[in-house]
Amino acid sequence: MRKHAPGAEVTVRVEYHDTQVRLTVHNTPPTGEPSRALTGTGSGLGIAHLRQRIELLHGTLRAGPRPDGGFGVEATLPSYVPTAESAV
């Protein structure tokens, strides 16, 4: 949150079920202005790349502004993902 929402409080929740894992990250509105030095770094594709990686595992991602002025990210992933090693 330091990069985009300085001073915001963050809540992280992980729920594990038999068939899926659900991760939620919500932050309150920022209390300070983002640092231009930090916001100018990176590809600008953070959420898009995260969504792509989650969808490769047949998961889902929702991300966006919250009604309270904060931001939320919710990812649901299968609890088990077969790999080439587990298929052997």
Side-chain angles (χ1 to χ4, degrees):
M1 298 298 124
R2 182 173 165 243
K3 183 174 181 177
H4 297 292
E9 292 185 29
V10 181
T11 302
V12 177
R13 184 174 181 167
V14 179
E15 299 173 52
Y16 185 84
H17 303 280
D18 289 341
T19 60
Q20 68 182 18
V21 176
R22 184 168 182 234
L23 305 150
T24 58
V25 180
H26 295 151
N27 67 270
T28 61
T31 60
E33 291 296 318
S35 162
R36 286 155 85 41
L38 288 175
T39 58
T41 63
S43 66
L45 298 171
I47 296 292
H49 283 179
L50 183 58
R51 177 174 279 111
Q52 180 184 41
R53 286 169 176 80
I54 289 171
E55 288 175 352
L56 284 172
L57 299 174
H58 304 286
T60 59
L61 178 76
R62 291 187 344 212
R66 294 172 39 109
D68 67 358
F71 196 83
V73 177
E74 298 180 8
T76 303
L77 298 156
S79 60
Y80 175 76
V81 178
T83 64
E85 288 180 8
S86 62
V88 175

